[in-house]
Amino acid sequence: MTFFKYLSDKIFSIIFFIFGILLVNLILWLDPFHEIVLSTLTYIDVLIMLISTAFITTRYWFSRRWYQKFSTPIDASATNLSLPITGAHSNEQQMYQVYINSLLSGHQTQLNNVLSKQQE
């Protein structure tokens, strides 16, 4: 997964965030009871964008590291299929983790059944 594909998956969240920042800027700028200087507002926006960029980049690296587990093929031996996938960071990754681990468990059960029938 590239960084741009990750951003394209999060595009609606990013647009909503930018819209929210612009709305807060508009409210602060038009509020008659507070004197806000444009340079201060710009400074606040730059800080928020830097913090948000650091957050998005960090989430990308965590997600990328977790998804790289799936890019390497697994050996179909019985010992490798019994190893569960671990390390999910989000609810979506936990959902995938539970599903894939149940598939691995089902394949392990089927392999054991086939092996026991062959031994009989």
Side-chain angles (χ1 to χ4, degrees), residues 108-120:
Q108 182 66 39
T109 304
Q110 287 178 353
L111 277 174
N112 289 338
N113 290 340
V114 167
L115 290 175
S116 66
K117 286 181 183 179
Q118 284 180 350
Q119 288 176 353
E120 290 176 0

Side-chain angles (χ1 to χ4, degrees), residues 18-37 41 45:
I18 290 172
F19 177 73
I21 293 293
L22 292 175
L23 184 65
V24 169
N25 285 343
L26 183 67
I27 290 170
L28 287 174
W29 184 254
L30 296 177
D31 187 9
F33 300 110
H34 292 91
E35 281 290 320
I36 299 288
V37 180
L41 200 57
D45 289 342

Side-chain angles (χ1 to χ4, degrees), residues 3-4 10-11 14 19 25 37-39 47 50 53 56 60 63-64 69 73 79-81 88 90 93-94 108 113:
F3 187 66
F4 292 111
K10 307 292 183 193
I11 191 70
I14 292 170
F19 177 73
N25 285 343
V37 180
L38 185 60
S39 62
L47 281 178
L50 286 175
T53 303
I56 289 171
Y60 166 71
S63 296
R64 182 175 176 234
K69 292 178 183 179
T79 57
N80 284 339
L81 287 178
S90 66
Q93 289 176 355
Q94 287 177 356
Q108 182 66 39
N113 290 340

Side-chain angles (χ1 to χ4, degrees), residues 26-116:
L26 183 67
I27 290 170
L28 287 174
W29 184 254
L30 296 177
D31 187 9
F33 300 110
H34 292 91
E35 281 290 320
I36 299 288
V37 180
L38 185 60
S39 62
T40 304
L41 200 57
T42 305
Y43 177 69
I44 291 170
D45 289 342
V46 167
L47 281 178
I48 290 173
M49 289 298 177
L50 286 175
I51 291 169
S52 301
T53 303
F55 173 76
I56 289 171
T57 305
T58 304
R59 289 295 303 156
Y60 166 71
W61 287 110
F62 278 119
S63 296
R64 182 175 176 234
R65 188 172 49 184
W66 191 77
Y67 285 116
Q68 279 180 345
K69 292 178 183 179
F70 303 112
S71 64
T72 57
I74 1 179
D75 185 18
S77 66
T79 57
N80 284 339
L81 287 178
S82 64
L83 296 175
I85 294 174
T86 58
H89 295 287
S90 66
N91 288 331
E92 179 184 11
Q93 289 176 355
Q94 287 177 356
M95 182 183 69
Y96 291 146
Q97 181 174 298
V98 167
Y99 178 70
I100 290 171
N101 285 338
S102 68
L103 283 177
L104 289 175
S105 175
H107 287 298
Q108 182 66 39
T109 304
Q110 287 178 353
L111 277 174
N112 289 338
N113 290 340
V114 167
L115 290 175
S116 66

